[in-house]
């Protein structure tokens, strides 16, 4: 009989499987293995392939004669069903250990693709509807056959075979091998290997050079004469702390990312190709390219080599198993904040079982989610743990949360000590308070007081350090990455922009949004303009020119937000990118309207507008929530689009109130149009790029943006104001209602690469305009 998910299956020797839908989602029901194959229920399994680089061979096993299917035939290196309640990666590791006696950590396993197998054998008595998670383990050399410990009930022999010969045998349907349609979806395995090891080095060199040319390297300078001697001494400790923040960020992106970084750095001088790999990696801080919708520019073949002598039975004269540290071709949406094989359904099922306090921990900015089974497996295999299993078991589910202060304790202990030392030296009382409270937060995991201290910072030396942005968490948008920005305040420019912060409440009350959704207690946002000296952590790819923090809805509700503008970054961005884009894409009659003042003013207003509009909301059923929790992975895109488009609306409002010069009226729209093309070139997987595509396409459909016969663009000033207001209302209303379905519909319709956008991007591609600045 089937059992519901979370219930323990009846005591029996027969294995239970989770029953899935035809699209691979859990139904919440588990059934015995025999019943699943009798009834043709969809379920999940793992395929693990071992590939030896030096010989270009795959390991295959001969199935035991007692197997209920394909007995005695040659098959995958290792495979097995995922038992009810188990996870994919844990099963892959366990199957390799049980069947072949190979014990490997999770960083040896590369998830390649999911293959749906639907077949009927044994005269219709065995129906196999199976989603197979296909993993690749890449070793440097073949593993000696005497190093294996075979599970006799599953495996009778193993051997290595050229992957090309194996593909040919399968294509010929050789009766000694388990059938596989290598001309179908499973052919991906062989195609992936061939691309990796038969690629042209010259082509890769050219490709990386082309990717690098999209960035304009910029050397920044900042005037330090205004800093006291004590602040200059503190600066040394801050830069050291920022370097530690950098290490945490690498780990947050992906668990094998720090090892990959060290390997690429160490081998950067080995060849021209290795140098280019390292140069592009330094910009993106991962093997995935920010400007190419996170397409991988490296593969596991480029990765680090690890020696693990204890992975197999020892063999005389053999030093042990060497494997390539793996990472997936597709960037994991949950980064390293969640188990790599966790999906949203599993998380939501777990969350439903938690108390309110536990739910807050699960969705907190400052926790990571782990598996009890992974901690237990590591403990049983290696005889020790990282201490992370010291948690309260809250349910029968496999997931649990770990605070950043525990997960990154070794790093944060060092960073806290350095920031405390900077606090002891700092000359400004507000700077001292911020440094000491931030250092305390690193170890307590409570960032509330330190974020308030950051908002009240009044110092020539301006510092932002800690976990803030949630862009890396594309699964839910819950988890914050560490970052650091160190700069010198521009007092004159800071005084000039005070206008925006002082008028936030007025802007809130006049938003194009139903009054019931408006907040009556918006706090004026302090704005600080700085020249950047040093940054670290989540500053990969395109460099930010401003940020509006904190993102903690409790603080936004109680105290508002504070903004930091990076003026020297903005100047470099305008000079090297926006102006050349405008020269190509904007009609000649409107090119003169593109100026730095308009560009920088909208950037300021964009950041201010993060502080207005819906944040903490009441849902239609009366529940209290936040926009972030309701929109989940769509929140970042909608929030960036809101800040952009409402920023335009706000500038027009302030101009009408004679608080800004009317000379901005046309130039701000034309600068915004040129900026659309700059941002979309980030790729539509990135929040700013997708949000900008949404805005451009909406305004284009409304006739506010025009594509001219000569393939340049212009603004229709008679239509743009109305189009900006209607889009502002649409986005603000979706946020106010926490309407994820409406957000999805809006993005599917407008957040896409349309023909007009393609025209602009093709023009820019031909003339090789830099896509973004990066800091030397």
């Amino acid at each position: 009989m089937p059992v519901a998910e979370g219930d323990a299956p009846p005591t029996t020797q027969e294995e239970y499987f989770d029953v899935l839908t035809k699209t691979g989602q859990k139904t919440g029901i588990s059934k015995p293995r025999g019943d699943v194959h009798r009834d043709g229920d969809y379920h999940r399994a793992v395929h693990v392939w071992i590939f030896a680089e030096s010989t270009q061979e795959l390991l295959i096993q001969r199935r035991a004669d007692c197997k209920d299917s394909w007995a005695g035939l040659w098959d995958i290196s290792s495979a097995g069903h995922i038992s009810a309640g188990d996870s994919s990666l844990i099963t892959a590791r366990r199957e390799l250990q049980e069947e072949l006696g190979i014990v490997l950590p999770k960083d040896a396993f590369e998830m390649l693709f999911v293959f749906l197998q639907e077949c009927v054998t044994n005269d219709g008595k065995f129906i196999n509807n199976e989603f197979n998670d296909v993993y690749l383990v890449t070793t440097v050399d073949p593993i000696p056959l005497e190093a294996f410990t075979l599970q006799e009930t599953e495996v009778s022999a193993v051997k290595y075979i050229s992957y090309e010969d194996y593909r040919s045998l399968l294509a010929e349907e050789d009766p000694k091998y388990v059938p596989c349609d290598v001309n179908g979806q499973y052919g991906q395995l062989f195609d992936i290997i061939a691309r990796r090891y038969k690629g042209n080095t010259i082509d890769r060199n050219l490709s990386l050079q082309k990717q690098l040319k999209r960035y304009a390297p910029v050397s920044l300078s900042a005037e330090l004469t205004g800093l006291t001697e004590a602040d200059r001494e503190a600066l040394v400790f801050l830069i050291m702390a920022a370097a530690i923040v950098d290490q945490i960020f690498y780990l947050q992106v992906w668990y094998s990312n720090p090892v990959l970084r060290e390997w690429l750095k160490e081998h950067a001088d080995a060849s021209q190709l290795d140098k280019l790999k390292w140069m592009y990696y330094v910009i993106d801080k991962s093997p995935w390219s920010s400007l190419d919708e996170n397409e991988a520019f490296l593969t596991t073949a480029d990765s680090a080599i690890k020696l693990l002598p204890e992975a197999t039975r020892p063999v005389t004269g053999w030093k042990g198993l060497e494997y390539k540290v793996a990472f997936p071709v597709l960037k994991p949406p949950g980064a390293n904040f969640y188990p790599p094989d966790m999906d949203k359904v599993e998380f939501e099922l777990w969350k439903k079982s938690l108390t309110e306090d536990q739910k807050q921990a699960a969705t907190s900015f400052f926790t990571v989610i782990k598996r009890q089974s992974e901690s237990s497996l590591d403990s049983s295999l290696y005889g020790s743990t990282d201490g992370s299993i010291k948690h309260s078991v809250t349910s029968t589910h496999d997931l649990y949360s770990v605070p950043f202060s525990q997960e990154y304790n070794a790093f944060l202990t060092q960073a806290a000590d350095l920031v405390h030392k900077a606090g002891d030296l700092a000359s400004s009382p507000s700077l001292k308070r911020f440094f000491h409270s931030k250092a305390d937060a690193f170890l307590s995991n409570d960032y509330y007081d330190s974020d308030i201290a950051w908002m009240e910072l009044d110092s020539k030396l301006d510092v932002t350090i800690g976990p803030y942005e949630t862009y890396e968490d594309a699964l839910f948008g819950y988890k914050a990455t560490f970052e650091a920005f160190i700069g010198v305040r521009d007092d004159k420019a800071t005084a000039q922009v005070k206008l925006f912060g002082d008028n936030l409440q007025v802007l809130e009350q006049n938003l194009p949004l139903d009054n019931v959704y408006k907040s009556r207690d918006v706090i004026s946002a302090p704005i600080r303009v700085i020249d950047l000296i040093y940054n670290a952590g989540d500053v990969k790819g395109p460099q930010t020119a401003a940020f509006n923090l904190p993102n903690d809805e409790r603080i936004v509700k109680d105290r508002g937000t504070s903004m930091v503008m990076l003026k020297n970054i903005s100047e470099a961005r305008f000079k090297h990118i926006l102006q050349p884009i405008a020269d190509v894409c904007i009609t000649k009659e409107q090119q003169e309207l593109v100026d730095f003042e308009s560009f920088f003013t909208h950037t300021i207003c964009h950041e201010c507008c993060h502080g207005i509009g819906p944040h903490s909301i009441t849902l239609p059923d009366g529940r209290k929530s936040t926009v972030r929790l309701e929109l989940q992975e769509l929140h970042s895109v909608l929030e960036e689009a809101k800040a952009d488009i409402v920023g335009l609306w706000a500038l027009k409002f302030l101009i009408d109130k004679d608080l800004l010069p009317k000379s901005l009226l046309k130039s701000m729209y034309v600068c915004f149009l040129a900026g659309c093309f700059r941002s979309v070139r980030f790729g539509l997987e990135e929040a700013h790029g997708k949000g900008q595509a949404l805005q451009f396409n909406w305004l284009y459909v409304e006739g506010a943006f025009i594509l001219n016969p000569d393939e340049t663009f212009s603004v229709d000033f008679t239509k743009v104001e109305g189009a900006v207001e209607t889009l502002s209302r649409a986005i603000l209303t979706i946020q106010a209602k926490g309407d994820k379905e409406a957000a999805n519909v809006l993005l599917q319709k407008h957040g896409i690469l349309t023909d007009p956008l393609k025209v602009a991007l093709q023009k820019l591609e031909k003339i090789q305009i830099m896509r973004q600045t990066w800091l030397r």
Side-chain angles (χ1 to χ4, degrees), residues 397-410:
H397 293 270
D398 195 25
L399 304 176
Y400 67 98
S401 60
V402 179
F404 281 1
S405 55
Q406 183 177 335
E407 179 71 4
Y408 310 123
N409 183 261

Side-chain angles (χ1 to χ4, degrees), residues 26 28 77 124 297 299 401 429 511 542 551 632 636 672 733:
K26 286 186 178 181
S77 307
F297 62 92
T299 72
S401 60
L511 284 173
N551 289 319
Q632 298 181 338
S636 291
F672 179 80
T733 302

Side-chain angles (χ1 to χ4, degrees), residues 239-443:
I239 290 175
M240 293 169 65
I244 294 172
V245 161
D246 217 35
Q247 294 179 61
I248 298 174
F249 175 69
Y250 281 107
L251 183 59
Q252 290 183 305
V253 172
W254 185 244
Y255 49 78
S256 62
N257 199 33
V259 177
L260 173 64
R261 179 187 183 277
E262 291 307 310
W263 177 268
L264 293 173
K265 182 179 180 181
E266 182 182 342
H267 293 82
D269 295 329
S271 69
Q272 175 66 14
L273 178 58
D274 288 305
K275 181 180 180 181
L276 291 170
K277 291 177 191 175
W278 171 242
M279 289 173 65
Y280 201 56
Y281 179 90
V282 166
I283 294 173
D284 273 298
K285 294 193 169 186
S286 82
W288 302 288
S289 173
S290 301
L291 292 184
D292 299 296
E293 300 189 4
N294 290 322
E295 180 182 340
F297 62 92
L298 300 173
T299 72
T300 296
D302 301 306
S303 193
I305 296 173
K306 275 190 180 180
L307 171 63
L308 202 62
E310 66 273 21
T312 67
R313 177 191 294 171
V315 175
T316 303
W318 181 55
K319 63 181 177 181
L321 188 152
E322 288 184 297
Y323 71 91
K324 287 292 188 75
V325 175
F327 55 86
V329 172
L330 298 178
K331 188 175 189 294
N336 194 24
F337 296 120
Y338 309 91
D341 53 1
M342 186 205 81
D343 59 21
K344 298 181 75 169
V345 173
E346 181 183 7
F347 182 89
E348 294 294 351
L349 286 171
W350 169 59
K351 194 174 76 169
K352 285 180 181 178
S353 73
L354 303 178
T355 65
E356 286 304 313
D357 286 346
Q358 291 163 350
K359 286 179 181 178
Q360 286 185 17
T363 59
S364 166
F365 288 109
F366 314 123
T367 61
V368 296
I369 308 302
K370 293 195 162 189
R371 288 196 183 282
Q372 300 177 53
S373 57
E374 182 180 336
S375 299
S376 300
L377 180 62
D378 286 341
S379 179
S380 65
L381 294 181
Y382 303 115
S384 64
T385 74
D386 60 5
S388 62
I389 59 171
K390 294 179 182 178
H391 61 281
S392 58
V393 178
T394 56
S395 70
T396 57
H397 293 270
D398 195 25
L399 304 176
Y400 67 98
S401 60
V402 179
F404 281 1
S405 55
Q406 183 177 335
E407 179 71 4
Y408 310 123
N409 183 261
F411 295 115
L412 291 174
T413 299
Q414 297 177 60
D417 181 60
L418 291 165
V419 176
H420 271 311
K421 288 178 178 177
D424 292 339
L425 290 166
S427 59
S428 159
S430 68
L431 196 59
K432 279 182 177 292
R433 180 192 167 206
F434 169 62
F435 286 160
H436 288 307
S437 62
K438 182 62 70 174
D440 291 341
F442 284 160
L443 302 183

Side-chain angles (χ1 to χ4, degrees), residues 649-662 665 668-669 721 725:
W649 169 87
L651 288 178
K652 175 63 166 58
F653 179 87
L654 294 173
I655 290 168
D656 288 344
K657 297 295 182 182
D658 293 325
L659 295 172
L660 287 174
K662 287 186 167 49
L665 190 56
M668 68 182 189
Y669 292 125
E721 181 182 343
E725 183 166 330

